[in-house]
């Protein structure tokens, strides 16, 4: 990986780098905006980044947007998080393509901002350098880590994976190309967590592999799933069906899987008068009580939603593989209240599990350079502190958040936490875009950007290094190469799973 050093910085950056400055950004541009373009950098090329760019470009005259992406390929969660058998969810890429086709938009792939962690064959630009050449910077880089359970055996035993790793692996995320999950140690799997990602993982384990072959799931994943011995999947949650986080579409799909049965749920957790519930919650209760098309006795695979269980320990075999998961039963304070709290009741339950996935949420992390820029980041919640509209809050000298940090914004999961679907991310990004447009048009202070040159002020230093910068036309070559690979195996595309392969496809 190549990092931008002080030696190649432009004259403006060299002067600023050698001039001591108080904590954070001390001066901001308030020059008239009517005679020059608005320059904005977006860090991250997923839905939050693209929707924010689209909103700003449609509301701010002469707006120019440069989008930085650490990987050589765009689209973030759409490419690496959406289940391969949900191609309709990826239709938002058409809108992103429209944004990228604008002459006022520049895609800068294979370039990480501040963060070199896991960024192989790529360039890295210090955050401070970026902030010197733009009127505004928008952080929309999503959530790259996952939450841990913190219970005995989690870190020691083989066969325990995070859902984020597994999803990234079967979707071709280079970071997890070598995950090689072992699905052959037994026939029962436990998924801790009951959100949509947990149901996606369960579906991949239960679905007929011949159905998945036609999707853009990687061939390596197909080969692994063909060897799978998993016949029984437990999707376990601390609370009950009325508090479940999954949505109608995901549970309906599981119920419809051919040859796969659903074990009956505890009816005491279902309200007597389901018909009086709000529509969405009513439909969920109806689907769960009706069950699957295939009876468990006739099924070759089965699954269950195991409620009111909190994991306490993983037990292993002598060879170091997980063998079972120990849970404590919980009691709901108000079983039919969607926000009910739970408490442990001391009773233990052990479920056999030769394979375990934790799916209890993703988490964003701060980028290197946040402290120096005065950006307040909440490590516990995994979000950038903001005013709710995406305006980032300043970190004061005593490390407490203070007023707005001019010209610095956030959108998506790093703004509100890892919740919601692409539609909610779009709404969230639009609110950030509206805040940026309102601030710019009202002559509010923004970042000091004397050069106001954006990528043009940074590219010479990046391109003089050993790494390759990916522009949109380069991505189109990668895109075409993947589609050609897919044709050979009868699918839409076969993704490259390493940055080296991606970069080679651009030559």
């Amino acid at each position: 990986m190549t990092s931008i050093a002080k030696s190649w910085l432009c004259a403006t950056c060299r002067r600023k780098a050698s001039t001591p400055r108080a904590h954070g950004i001390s001066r901001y541009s308030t020059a008239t905006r009517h005679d020059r373009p608005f320059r904005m950098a977006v860090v991250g090329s997923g839905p939050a980044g693209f929707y924010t760019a689209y909103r700003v470009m449609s509301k701010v005259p002469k707006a120019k947007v440069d989008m930085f992406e650490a990987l050589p390929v765009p689209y973030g969660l759409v490419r690496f998080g959406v289940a391969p058998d949900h191609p309709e969810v990826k239709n938002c890429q058409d809108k992103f393509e429209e944004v990228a086709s604008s002459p006022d938009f520049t895609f800068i792939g294979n370039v990480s901002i501040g963060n070199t962690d896991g960024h192989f064959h790529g360039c890295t630009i210090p955050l401070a350098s970026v902030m010197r050449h733009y009127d505004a910077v928008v952080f929309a880089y999503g959530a790259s880590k996952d939450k841990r359970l913190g219970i005995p055996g989690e870190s020691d035993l083989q066969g325990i994976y995070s859902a984020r790793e597994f999803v990234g692996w079967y979707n071709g995320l280079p970071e997890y190309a070598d995950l090689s999950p072992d699905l052959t140690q037994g026939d029962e799997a436990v998924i801790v967590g009951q959100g949509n990602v947990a149901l996606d993982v369960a579906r991949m384990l239960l679905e007929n592999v011949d159905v998945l072959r036609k999707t853009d799931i990687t061939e390596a994943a197909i080969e692994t799933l063909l060897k799978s011995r998993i016949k029984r999947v437990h999707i376990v949650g601390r609370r009950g069906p009325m508090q479940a986080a999954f949505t109608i579409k995901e549970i309906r799909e599981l119920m419809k899987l051919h040859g796969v049965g659903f074990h009956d749920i505890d009816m005491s957790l279902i309200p007597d008068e389901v018909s009086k519930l709000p529509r969405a919650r009513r439909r969920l209760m109806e689907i769960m009580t009706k069950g699957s098309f295939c009876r468990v006795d006739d099924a070759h695979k089965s699954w269950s939603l195991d409620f009111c269980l909190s994991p306490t320990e993983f037990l292993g075999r002598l060879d170091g593989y997980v063998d079972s998961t120990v849970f404590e039963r919980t009691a709901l304070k108000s079983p039919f209240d969607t926000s009910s709290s739970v408490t442990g009741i001391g009773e233990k339950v052990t479920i056999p599990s030769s394979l375990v996935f934790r799916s209890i949420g993703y988490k964003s992390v701060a980028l290197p350079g946040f402290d120096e820029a005065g950006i307040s980041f909440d490590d516990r919640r995994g979000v950038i502190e903001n005013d709710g509209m995406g305006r980032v809050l300043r970190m004061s000298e005593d490390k407490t958040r203070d007023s707005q940090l001019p010209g610095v914004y956030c959108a998506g999961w790093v703004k509100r936490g890892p919740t919601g679907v692409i539609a909610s991310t779009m709404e969230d990004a639009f609110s950030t875009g509206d805040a940026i447009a309102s601030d710019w048009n009202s002559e509010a202070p923004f970042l000091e950007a004397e050069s106001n040159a954006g990528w043009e002020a940074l590219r010479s230093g990046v391109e003089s290094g050993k790494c390759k910068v990916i522009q949109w036309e380069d991505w189109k070559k990668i895109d075409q190469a993947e589609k050609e690979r897919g044709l050979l195996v009868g699918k839409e595309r076969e993704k490259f799973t390493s940055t080296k392969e991606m970069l080679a496809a651009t030559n």
Side-chain angles (χ1 to χ4, degrees), residues 139-155:
F139 297 105
Y141 56 84
S144 61
K145 304 296 180 184
D146 62 275
K147 297 177 182 177
R148 298 182 64 84
L149 294 165
I151 61 176
E154 181 179 16
S155 301

Side-chain angles (χ1 to χ4, degrees), residues 3 58 61 125 157 181 253 259 351 353 361 402 437 440 458 477 502 506:
S3 180
S58 66
I125 305 178
L157 296 173
E253 286 182 332
I351 298 178
S353 47
D402 196 357
W440 182 257
L458 297 167
K477 293 178 183 178
M502 295 172 183
T506 66

Side-chain angles (χ1 to χ4, degrees), residues 1-5 8 121-124 458-469:
M1 65 194 88
T2 303
S3 180
I4 293 182
W8 66 259
H121 309 292
C123 317
T124 301
L458 297 167
R459 68 183 305 164
S460 60
V462 177
E463 293 176 345
S464 66
K466 296 179 180 179
C467 59
K468 179 178 176 62
V469 175

Side-chain angles (χ1 to χ4, degrees), residues 336-347:
F336 308 140
D337 179 354
T338 57
S339 58
S340 176
S341 60
V342 297
T343 55
I345 61 174
E347 181 183 347

Side-chain angles (χ1 to χ4, degrees), residues 87-104:
E88 72 284 352
V89 179
K90 303 181 183 184
N91 290 339
C92 58
Q93 292 177 179
D94 295 338
K95 171 58 70 176
F96 304 160
E97 178 81 26
E98 178 185 324
V99 173
S101 67
S102 168
D104 295 320

Side-chain angles (χ1 to χ4, degrees), residues 35 70 132 149 167 200-201 244 279 298 385 407 415 465 483 496:
D35 56 352
R132 293 187 185 110
L149 294 165
V167 170
D200 281 346
V201 170
R279 184 180 183 278
D298 301 327
E385 298 275 15
K415 169 186 172 183
K483 290 177 178 177
F496 293 115

Side-chain angles (χ1 to χ4, degrees), residues 189-209:
V190 161
I191 303 171
V192 180
Q194 292 182 332
N196 283 341
V197 175
L199 268 62
D200 281 346
V201 170
R203 200 172 63 258
M204 292 301 109
L205 295 173
L206 296 167
E207 179 63 279
N208 186 321
V209 177

